[in-house]
Amino acid sequence: MATHSANLSERFQQAWGSQPRLFQAPGRVNLIGEHTDYNDGFVLPAAIQLQTRIAAGPAPGRQLFVKSATYPDDAVFDLDDTNPLPRKHWSDYVRGVALFLEREGLTLKGARLLIESDIPPGAGLSSSAALEVATAWALLSDSGLHMELSKIAQVCHRAENEFVGVRSGIMDQFASCYGRRDHALLLDCRSLEMRYVPVPHNAAMMVCNTMVRHELGSSEYNSRRRQCEQGMAVLSRFLPDIRALRDVSAAQLARFSAELDPLIHRRCRHVIEENRRVLTGAQALEHCDLVSFGALMMESHQSLRLDYEVSSPELDLMCELALGVEGVYGARMVGGGFGGCALALADQSAIETFVPTVMEEYRRRTGIACEIYQCSAADGAGPIGG
Ligand code: ADP
Ligand code: MG
C-alpha cells in the first residue's frame, strides 16, 4: 500500500499544489448471511485488504472539489447548498455523505478530495461503502471534527439510501468502519450490536468474479424485499409479537406454512434458516472448525439458489468449480445475486492450484475470463500513516 499512497500524494500535489492527508476505507466480503440484513437479521462480513484511498486537503470557503483517479468528470459542490439533488454521477456518493454529515448538525470546511480504489466496482465487494466511509473520514478530519464510528456508518448508509437512491442494508458501511485484521464481524442488523469472530489463519477467502451481472438484479432485489414483507404480513396474524422475519423460528414457520403461498414460504424459509447458519457459522469459526463452516456456506448457496432464487448459472458454476479443488471448505454466491462474485473458503495450501484451475475451467465452460481476488480480513477505515 505504501507505493499506492505515495503516488496518490504526488498526484494530489500535481493537481492542487499542496501536501494532502491520506485516508482509507476497505471493501468487504460477507462470509455468510445473505438477504438477512433487511429482515433485521445477522450477517458475518469481513473487511478486506482491497481499499479506497482518498487524498484530502483544505479548500477555501465551503467548496468541495472532487476527482477520481478511475472515473471521469471531476465535480465541484457548494456545501452551502443545503438541498442538493443527485446528479446520477459517481460523485453523488461524496455529496450525499457531506450532506448527511451536516444534517447531523456539523459544519464542514471546504475540501479537495482525490479518490482512488483497488476494489472492483459493482462486483459486490462494496466499493460504494468504501467510498462513502473514506469520504466521511476525509471530510471530518479536514474540518477538525470527530464522529463515533457507528454514527459514521449510519450517516454513510443514509447517504447511499436517501441521496444516491440505492436501497441497501447497513452491513457494508459497518464492515468498512469496524473491520479488524484476521477477524470477521458478527453483526446484528437490528440492534447494531457486534462481536468479532476470528478467521482462522489457514483459511483464505477467494473471491471469484463471474464477470456477469444480469439486468434483473435490482428489480428482483426489490421484489424479494416485498415478498418478505408479504410473509411477515401473514405470519404476524398468528404471531402478533414479531417485528421482522428475524423473530420467527423454523418451528413457527413450519407450523404456519399452510397459511403461506408456497413461494412466499420458500422466501421466508431462506431468511430464517440463513440467520441460523450465520449464528452457527460464527461459532464454528470460533472453534476453528472450517469444515463445518464450509458446509454451512454450501447450504447457504443451495438455499439462495432454490428457495430465494437469486443465483445464476455462472454463480452456480463458479461454486461447483471451486468445490472441485482439493482443500476448499465451502463456496457460495455473495451479494444480492444474479451475478457478481462467489466466495470460496480455501485452505492456504490450496491457493496455488485454486486460481489457475478455476480460471481455466471457467473460461472453458463459459468463454469468459474471470477474476479471482485472494482476500484476507483487514482493519477498518482510518488515516493512512498515522
Ligand atoms: P459495489 O458497492 O458492489 O462495488 P455499487 O454499484 O454499489 O457496487 O457501487 C459502485 C459505484 O460506486 C460506482 O459505479 C461509482 O459510482 C462509485 N465508486 C466506487 N468506487 C469509486 C471510485 N474509486 N471513484 C469514483 N466512484 C466510485
Ligand atoms: Mg455498493
Side-chain angles (χ1 to χ4, degrees), residues 100-129:
F100 281 98
L101 283 174
E102 293 216 312
R103 294 234 171 124
E104 289 298 312
L106 303 175
T107 305
L108 299 172
K109 293 184 175 155
R112 301 182 199 277
L113 306 179
L114 173 61
I115 299 155
E116 71 169 14
S117 181
D118 30 53
I119 310 169
L125 297 176
S126 211
S127 68
S128 59

Side-chain angles (χ1 to χ4, degrees), residues 28 93 122-130 132 160 166 168 172-173:
R28 62 98 190 95
Y93 292 92
L125 297 176
S126 211
S127 68
S128 59
E132 292 147 20
E160 180 155 335
V166 177
S168 57
D172 304 352
Q173 291 82 8

Side-chain angles (χ1 to χ4, degrees), residues 326-338:
E326 205 181 312
V328 171
Y329 296 106
R332 64 176 204 90
M333 55 153 282
V334 289
F338 302 100

Side-chain angles (χ1 to χ4, degrees), residues 1 4-5 8-9 12 19-26 51-58 111-117 130-145 152 176 380-386:
M1 295 305 162
H4 283 304
S5 322
L8 187 65
S9 247
F12 185 97
Q19 178 79 34
R21 288 199 292 160
L22 302 177
F23 303 88
Q24 66 80 23
Q51 57 179 213
T52 294
R53 289 170 292 277
I54 296 189
R112 301 182 199 277
L113 306 179
L114 173 61
I115 299 155
E116 71 169 14
S117 181
L131 174 55
E132 292 147 20
V133 173
T135 299
W137 267 90
L139 292 178
L140 287 166
S141 290
D142 179 70
S143 307
L145 298 166
I152 293 182
S176 189
I384 300 177

